[in-house]
């Protein structure tokens, strides 16, 4: 490959790293072409995209961006799964696909510029989707406010019940 082509590919890889929320490094050696196509499609549906680059060029792109070198990961066949927004969705796809296909292996990852080990990547894959996490957070934040509203509303409700009881009693006495 000519030097100009290499420089262009390093620039392309750098853009991929800059534009993504994270990247998973996987080894897909041993998968058939059909299985790789299925994996790519599943990853795309989960909000990611898979590319295969030369490890040397990827290492140069990481160095240019001042990201961790990942030298121990960029050994042997490596496919790069870039995550658009939600890093856990593509990780879930990879983990599930690896359960059905022994040839697929999660190697490691980069999340927000920080290296993530294989074990950490698999734990991230177990996280619920981003929308569920946001909903859980909002309900946790909302619970104390709902409690405060109920406490503040309690005396007003009690007063209203007392007034109604007195009105009912007076009406019964008048009848």
């Amino acid at each position: 490959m000519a030097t100009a082509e290499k420089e262009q590919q390093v620039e392309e890889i750098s853009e991929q790293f800059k534009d993504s929320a994270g990247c998973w490094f996987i080894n897909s050696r041993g998968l058939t072409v059909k299985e790789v196509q299925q994996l790519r499609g599943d990853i795309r549906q989960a909000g990611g995209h898979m590319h295969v680059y030369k490890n040397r060029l990827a290492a140069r792109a990481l160095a240019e961006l001042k990201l961790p070198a990942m030298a121990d990961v960029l050994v042997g066949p490596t496919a790069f799964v870039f995550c658009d927004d939600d890093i856990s969705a593509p990780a879930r796809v990879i983990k599930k696909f690896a359960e059905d296909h022994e040839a697929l292996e999660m190697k490691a990852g980069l999340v927000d510029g920080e290296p993530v080990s294989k074990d950490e990547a698999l734990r991230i894959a177990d996280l619920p989707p981003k929308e569920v996490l946001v909903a859980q957070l909002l309900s946790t934040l909302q619970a104390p406010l709902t409690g405060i509203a109920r406490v503040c509303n309690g005396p007003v409700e009690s007063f209203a019940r007392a007034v109604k009881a007195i009105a009912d009693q007076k009406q019964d006495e008048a009848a």
Side-chain angles (χ1 to χ4, degrees):
M1 188 181 307
T3 305
E5 289 178 42
K6 289 179 184 177
E7 287 301 321
Q8 182 181 2
Q9 196 160 25
V10 168
E11 182 63 31
E12 177 186 323
I13 298 167
S14 296
E15 288 299 317
Q16 293 284 353
F17 278 115
K18 280 193 269 187
D19 294 342
S20 65
C23 179
W24 302 116
F25 304 98
I26 62 173
N27 179 357
S28 59
R29 180 192 292 179
L31 294 178
T32 65
V33 171
K34 187 175 181 179
E35 290 169 337
V36 170
Q37 288 174 337
Q38 180 185 352
L39 176 62
R40 283 180 191 266
D42 293 349
I43 288 171
R44 199 173 309 113
Q45 286 180 344
H49 46 283
M50 183 174 130
H51 297 279
V52 177
Y53 299 113
K54 290 188 176 192
N55 290 334
R56 280 188 343 270
L57 299 179
R60 283 178 48 192
L62 289 169
E64 284 182 8
L65 295 172
K66 295 181 177 41
L67 292 171
M70 308 296 288
D72 54 332
V73 176
L74 296 177
V75 176
T78 305
F80 302 83
V81 178
F82 295 98
C83 309
D84 295 335
D85 186 32
D86 181 8
I87 60 167
S88 65
R92 270 193 300 283
V93 168
I94 294 165
K95 182 177 180 183
K96 183 175 181 339
F97 204 88
E99 289 170 359
D100 299 334
H101 303 85
E102 289 181 17
L104 182 66
E105 174 195 8
M106 174 78 83
K107 293 170 87 172
L110 262 178
V111 176
D112 292 331
E114 297 297 321
V116 175
S117 71
K118 175 183 178 177
D119 294 334
E120 291 169 327
L122 295 175
R123 283 197 299 269
I124 289 172
D126 292 333
L127 289 174
K130 185 177 182 179
E131 296 80 23
V132 173
L133 289 174
V134 169
Q136 290 173 345
L137 175 65
L138 290 176
S139 68
T140 301
L141 293 173
Q142 188 179 12
L145 297 176
T146 305
I148 289 172
R150 286 189 183 130
V151 168
C152 291
N153 203 22
V156 174
E157 282 183 26
S158 298
F159 178 72
R161 279 195 294 265
V163 169
K164 181 160 177 26
I166 292 171
D168 289 346
Q169 184 182 18
K170 296 264 185 198
Q171 191 175 23
D172 288 344
E173 289 174 3

